[in-house]
Amino acid sequence: MRRTSRSSTRSLRAVLTAFLVAGACASAGFVPAAAADAPASDGVLAAMQRDFGLTRSQAEARLAAEQEATGIEKKARSVAGSGYAGSWLDAQGRRLTVAVSDRDKAAAVRSTGARVKVVAHSARALDATKNRLDALKAPTGVSSWRVDWQTNRVVVEVLADQQGDNDVKAFLAKARTAGPVTVRTAEHAPSTLAAGTVGGDPYYTGNVRCSIGFSVQGGFVTAGHCGGAGQGVNGWDGSYVGNFQGSSFPDNDYAWVNVGSGWWTVPVVLGWGTVSDQLVRGSAEAPVGASICRSGSTSHWHCGTVLAKNETVNYSQGAVHQMTKTSVCAEPGDSGGSFISGDQAQGVTSGGWGNCSSGGETWYQPINEILNRYGLTLHTA
């Protein structure tokens, strides 16, 4: 937050808004208290109750089960070795299934506490198929493609009204020769979620408004389509915050901005008054099927589930790789905002379809990839 003199009302507003712009105010009076052993803040639990139709105890139980599944998945992946073929939680987020292509590893994987499904193709083989598709130039009628662990195939989604397009047919013909590929139809084309300038929003690059993702040591991470390397960033009040130090879009959709000029960072995701603000304690990756919530400057706080990982999304500007797909809604201006599971950072909002009135789906770029790419350290509580 920028150190300026304001009235008490303006100061409170500045602190609440600057939580998103600068990663949150460092003043102890505004940092939410949360026990280290709590599954999530009261606000996250309230949002899960709203968006999943759960009681508080059910939300707590789901988060506890997901945390346990994250540990099991790590052990199971190690035991399965080259036979690992993906993992996912059931619809209730209670039981983890791990797919293996090596039947001889099934018993050892089962001993970790996971259910086991024996399949034909390993994750490595499916990734190789997807990589062959990534090397192709996709027409706009192809919306995305991903490794789908539950079907043990690479799923290509084509816009329903573009199935007869010659370029789409040519792409699919090549895709089917790449390996185990299934084609499905999609009703909506993905798009990025930047927005024009609107007063009172978290940060701007020129006339584009986007949202902060997560605080890192020395700055914050956000979406690459929000600005290019070297571009200046201004806060909600128009004051200078920093510059994009690195940015990649398309191919990737991530960036990071340095923070200075009287602004600073703390490990908080803003609840926007809808829920209490959430402390960030790490970046352990949530499995497919896990609950996940998103914070953004337009639609604020919404929750859903992780639908798929390692999906290539074909925006009009070009394809973006290694994205995670969710059932969470988003709207223009939410780009770059935080995806969090419990108290674990997951990624920054990239794009999607739909809105938070009628519903939709949103993709995010995983946080650990961004940290590794730029050598950044996540700011944690």
Side-chain angles (χ1 to χ4, degrees):
M1 190 180 76
R2 191 166 185 258
R3 298 183 182 91
T4 55
S5 175
R6 311 175 190 275
S7 67
S8 58
T9 301
R10 184 69 168 173
S11 295
L12 176 59
R13 179 178 177 282
V15 169
L16 293 176
T17 306
F19 273 154
L20 188 63
V21 179
C25 179
S27 169
F30 291 100
V31 174
D37 57 352
S41 71
D42 288 342
V44 170
L45 293 171
M48 290 182 66
Q49 292 175 69
R50 177 197 68 197
D51 291 345
F52 288 98
L54 303 175
T55 65
R56 182 183 176 91
S57 61
Q58 288 172 332
E60 290 177 335
R62 176 163 185 150
L63 285 173
E66 290 173 356
Q67 185 176 23
E68 181 182 10
T70 299
I72 291 174
E73 197 276 341
K74 185 176 181 180
K75 295 176 184 176
R77 183 190 289 260
S78 177
V79 169
S82 61
Y84 177 77
S87 62
W88 60 90
L89 283 165
D90 62 18
Q92 291 72 41
R94 295 173 182 168
R95 290 296 304 273
L96 180 76
T97 298
V98 175
V100 293
S101 61
D102 184 349
R103 188 176 296 273
D104 293 339
K105 296 291 182 66
V109 171
R110 195 174 288 111
S111 70
T112 66
R115 289 177 176 172
V116 174
K117 181 179 181 180
V118 179
V119 297
H121 311 288
S122 68
R124 186 176 300 173
L126 292 173
D127 286 343
T129 297
K130 180 180 175 294
N131 288 341
R132 295 184 191 105
L133 269 63
D134 286 345
L136 302 176
K137 182 173 178 57
T140 56
V142 178
S143 62
S144 68
W145 54 95
R146 67 181 180 275
V147 172
D148 183 16
W149 289 333
Q150 290 171 275
T151 62
N152 198 229
R153 311 277 292 179
V154 172
V155 173
V156 178
E157 293 199 347
V158 176
L159 295 177
D161 61 356
Q162 295 292 313
Q163 294 179 79
D165 180 80
N166 288 335
D167 290 338
V168 169
K169 289 180 178 179
F171 178 88
L172 294 179
K174 293 178 182 178
R176 289 187 174 100
T177 67
V181 168
T182 295
V183 178
R184 296 177 184 170
T185 58
E187 297 298 325
H188 307 277
S191 62
T192 56
L193 297 167
T197 299
V198 179
D201 293 309
Y203 83 87
Y204 305 94
T205 55
N207 65 344
V208 172
R209 168 171 60 88
C210 283
S211 303
I212 263 284
F214 293 94
S215 293
V216 296
Q217 299 299 329
F220 63 79
V221 294
T222 187
H225 70 262
C226 292
Q231 278 192 271
V233 170
N234 294 319
W236 67 268
D237 61 352
S239 65
Y240 173 75
V241 176
N243 293 79
F244 279 82
Q245 299 298 300
S247 180
S248 178
F249 179 79
D251 187 27
N252 305 292
D253 193 5
Y254 50 59
W256 83 280
V257 176
N258 69 318
V259 167
S261 302
W263 296 76
W264 62 83
T265 64
V266 296
V268 173
V269 171
L270 184 65
W272 287 99
T274 304
V275 300
S276 59
D277 302 325
Q278 177 66 31
L279 289 172
V280 178
R281 300 187 185 278
S283 58
E285 185 178 345
V288 171
S291 61
I292 194 165
C293 298
R294 181 194 55 72
S295 179
S297 62
T298 299
S299 58
H300 299 169
W301 191 278
H302 290 274
C303 299
T305 56
V306 177
L307 298 178
K309 297 185 180 183
N310 192 22
E311 183 158 4
T312 298
V313 180
N314 194 32
Y315 295 129
S316 61
Q317 301 94 329
V320 176
H321 306 101
Q322 296 179 312
M323 300 263 268
T324 298
K325 184 179 187 177
T326 77
S327 64
V328 187
C329 66
E331 297 182 357
D334 288 329
S335 278
S338 320
F339 267 93
I340 189 166
S341 181
D343 58 8
Q344 300 295 303
Q346 298 298 311
V348 300
T349 303
S350 174
W353 63 266
N355 56 55
C356 291
S357 296
S358 60
E361 295 174 332
T362 307
W363 288 266
Y364 67 80
Q365 189 90 69
I367 183 68
N368 290 327
E369 179 185 358
I370 306 171
L371 299 176
N372 291 335
R373 168 63 180 83
Y374 294 119
L376 301 170
T377 300
L378 185 67
H379 195 168
T380 58

